Amino acid sequence: MRKVTAGLFISLDGIVAEPQDWHFPYFNDEMGEAVSAQVAGADTLVFGRATYEGFAGAWPEREAAGGEDAGFAKALGDLRKVVVSHEELEFTWRNSEQLRGDLVEGVAALKAEAGGDIAMSGSPSVVVQLLAAGLVDELHLLVHPVALRNGGVRLFDEGNSVPLRLISATPFKTGVVHMVYGPAEEPAPAGYADAAGLIS
């Protein structure tokens, strides 16, 4: 069974929308290494449409430009890229395809295939659905030391609880903390006597 990892930039107040507008002041070599490591074992990337379009609009040009990140850009281009969308899509970035049918069933089928890891970068709506379905093995949150307070899209907003267990927490020099979570069992509800004992 292949491992599914998801990586997101997130603010202290849980916002994941439009990270290009607020995360760059905190980007350093430590963060670059963390992002690269999260996708290092993957041979497949899963994207939501909006995130994919952002990547496809930037990384092929960076590969062609031959700058310092051209190697990473080429590695992304070489990976299989599976895009989730209800709209019919056309692709210009190599090795890209559209996921057909139900998201959870489709990713479960990908996970059952032979191969390397499956990685996600961004695509919060897809990540939340797969977390709820128990298909994400590692959730990498790069928690930025900023509260945006702008009413933007939050990773966890409404819906059922998603129990997680902390695997690791690594602080960076910029104040960003790289939190890695895995799935956890739903905690059993405490009885009144147990709760009373905790606060007595």
Side-chain angles (χ1 to χ4, degrees):
M1 186 72 70
R2 305 165 79 186
K3 182 170 71 174
V4 175
T5 69
L8 291 150
F9 299 141
I10 187 168
S11 69
L12 282 177
D13 50 346
I15 292 173
V16 291
E18 309 300 335
Q20 70 277 3
D21 294 340
W22 48 267
H23 102 88
F24 283 113
Y26 303 97
F27 193 91
N28 66 356
D29 289 343
E30 292 172 304
M31 185 183 292
E33 290 171 5
V35 171
S36 297
Q38 188 238 318
V39 301
D43 60 15
T44 303
L45 298 175
V46 173
F47 292 103
R49 179 189 55 79
T51 301
Y52 173 82
E53 289 177 349
F55 274 57
W59 288 108
E61 293 181 4
R62 294 181 184 180
E63 180 181 353
E68 62 180 20
D69 57 1
F72 184 66
K74 181 183 184 305
L76 290 178
D78 289 344
L79 294 175
R80 178 187 182 189
K81 290 168 284 293
V82 180
V83 187
V84 178
S85 178
H86 296 298
E87 304 174 16
E88 189 68 26
L89 302 177
E90 295 182 1
F91 301 109
T92 57
W93 197 11
R94 66 184 184 278
N95 300 322
S96 298
E97 63 190 78
Q98 187 165 352
L99 181 71
R100 306 291 179 179
D102 180 77
L103 168 64
V104 171
E105 291 178 359
V107 173
L110 286 174
K111 191 170 182 177
E113 293 176 357
D117 293 347
I118 300 168
M120 292 182 285
S121 181
S123 309
S125 64
V126 175
V127 171
V128 167
Q129 293 177 72
L130 297 181
L131 276 170
L135 291 175
V136 177
D137 299 289
E138 289 183 3
L139 175 64
H140 293 245
L141 297 180
L142 289 155
V143 184
H144 289 55
V146 58
L148 298 175
R149 304 179 65 192
N150 62 9
V153 175
R154 286 174 166 78
L155 180 59
F156 299 112
D157 197 356
E158 297 180 355
N160 296 329
S161 63
V162 179
L164 300 168
R165 61 182 177 85
L166 181 65
I167 296 174
S168 65
T170 306
F172 296 160
K173 294 175 183 177
T174 58
V176 171
V177 181
H178 180 200
M179 313 286 286
V180 182
Y181 290 93
E185 297 294 328
E186 191 79 50
Y192 176 79
D194 294 334
L198 289 173
I199 61 175
S200 61

